[in-house]
Amino acid sequence: DAGVIQSPRHEVTEMGQEVTLRCKPISGHNSLFWYRQTMMRGLELLIYFNNNVPIDDSGMPEDRFSAKMPNASFSTLKIQPSEPRDSAVYFCASSLPQGVNTIYFGEGSWLTVV
Amino acid sequence: SQELEQSPQSLIVQEGKNLTINCTSSKTLYGLYWYKQKYGEGLIFLMMLQKGGEEKSHEKITAKLDEKKQQSSLHITASQPSHAGIYLCGADNTGNQFYFGTGTSLTVIP
């Protein structure tokens, strides 16, 4: 079975450019999570959706970051404009409804902003 | 929000030695997960614990969740260089949110 699929796997972009990271959750999962991993701060939860609705975006660092989930099978995390300090690994994860507590992670999107 | 503290932050051991990594929560855990991450790679799921007092093993790695479900330990027996990496605990506090611990970097010297 296909797991959580993220794209791109690696991206190098110039400061000021818009970056869009994509995630396809596992079919049937109704919760989706975006995480950012940096050396300084470890793995941080940015935002999570339940049934395509953003539930908690308190982890989103600033207004340059936005996330959408237009349907149950697709989500995007956008950074506009990007800055060098946004360089990190961004993980997407999905899970089954509450009470079935298994979460699956994508392989991550490695972002470098120069 | 959920807070998960891991200790130690980093660990360097000689090959063949045993080691333990701890994960402590400020709240009762709904589920506790252990992951391993090799440098520059994605997250590898190791095991999940749900019940107080539960213990699971996979090869030379054993994880326990204490009775109060606020602390978990990961124990590696006879460590090998292949065990090197970052170990992360993660917790589900209500079934809706999932947070990671601060991480433990493990180096195994041959």
Side-chain angles (χ1 to χ4, degrees), chain A residues 31 33 35 37 43 45 48 50 56 91 97-99 101-103 105-107 110, chain B residues 30-31 33 35 37 40-43 48 50 88 92 94-100:
Chain A
S31 292
F33 307 79
Y35 293 87
Q37 185 179 35
L43 264 162
L45 175 64
Y48 82 94
N50 200 33
D56 184 355
F91 286 100
Q98 181 177 0
N101 48 8
T102 303
I103 186 167
F105 285 85
E107 294 190 329
W110 267 249
Chain B
Y30 187 75
Y33 302 69
Y35 291 86
Q37 185 180 30
E41 297 184 12
L43 297 167
M48 179 187 74
Q50 279 184 269
L88 294 149
D92 176 355
T94 64
N96 275 337
Q97 294 190 30
F98 190 89
Y99 294 90
F100 282 98

Side-chain angles (χ1 to χ4, degrees), chain B residues 6 21 23 32-35 45-47 63 72-74 88-89:
Chain B
Q6 282 185 239
I21 299 168
C23 176
L32 190 287
Y33 302 69
W34 283 100
Y35 291 86
F45 173 75
L46 296 176
M47 54 193 88
S72 178
S73 60
L74 185 83
L88 294 149
C89 63

Side-chain angles (χ1 to χ4, degrees), chain B residues 5-72:
Chain B
E5 289 290 328
Q6 282 185 239
S7 62
Q9 205 169 18
S10 65
L11 201 51
I12 301 173
V13 300
Q14 201 76 36
E15 182 177 359
K17 295 294 185 185
N18 302 335
L19 63 104
T20 300
I21 299 168
N22 294 302
C23 176
T24 303
S25 169
S26 58
K27 299 179 182 179
T28 299
L29 300 169
Y30 187 75
L32 190 287
Y33 302 69
W34 283 100
Y35 291 86
K36 177 187 174 184
Q37 185 180 30
K38 292 186 177 180
Y39 298 106
E41 297 184 12
L43 297 167
I44 301 168
F45 173 75
L46 296 176
M47 54 193 88
M48 179 187 74
L49 305 164
Q50 279 184 269
K51 300 176 184 176
E54 186 175 10
E55 178 176 325
K56 288 186 177 178
S57 294
H58 176 68
E59 298 178 346
K60 294 184 178 180
I61 301 176
T62 301
K64 300 178 185 179
L65 182 62
D66 75 356
E67 290 291 340
K68 293 183 179 180
K69 296 174 67 173
Q70 287 193 254
Q71 186 169 39
S72 178

Side-chain angles (χ1 to χ4, degrees), chain A residues 30-34 45-60 67-69 75 95 98, chain B residues 93-99:
Chain A
N30 74 334
S31 292
L32 184 139
F33 307 79
W34 281 102
L45 175 64
L46 299 178
I47 184 172
Y48 82 94
F49 296 83
N50 200 33
N51 293 321
N52 311 339
V53 177
I55 302 300
D56 184 355
D57 65 353
S58 59
M60 296 285 263
K68 294 182 181 179
M69 193 165 184
S75 177
S95 71
Q98 181 177 0
Chain B
N93 63 350
T94 64
N96 275 337
Q97 294 190 30
F98 190 89
Y99 294 90

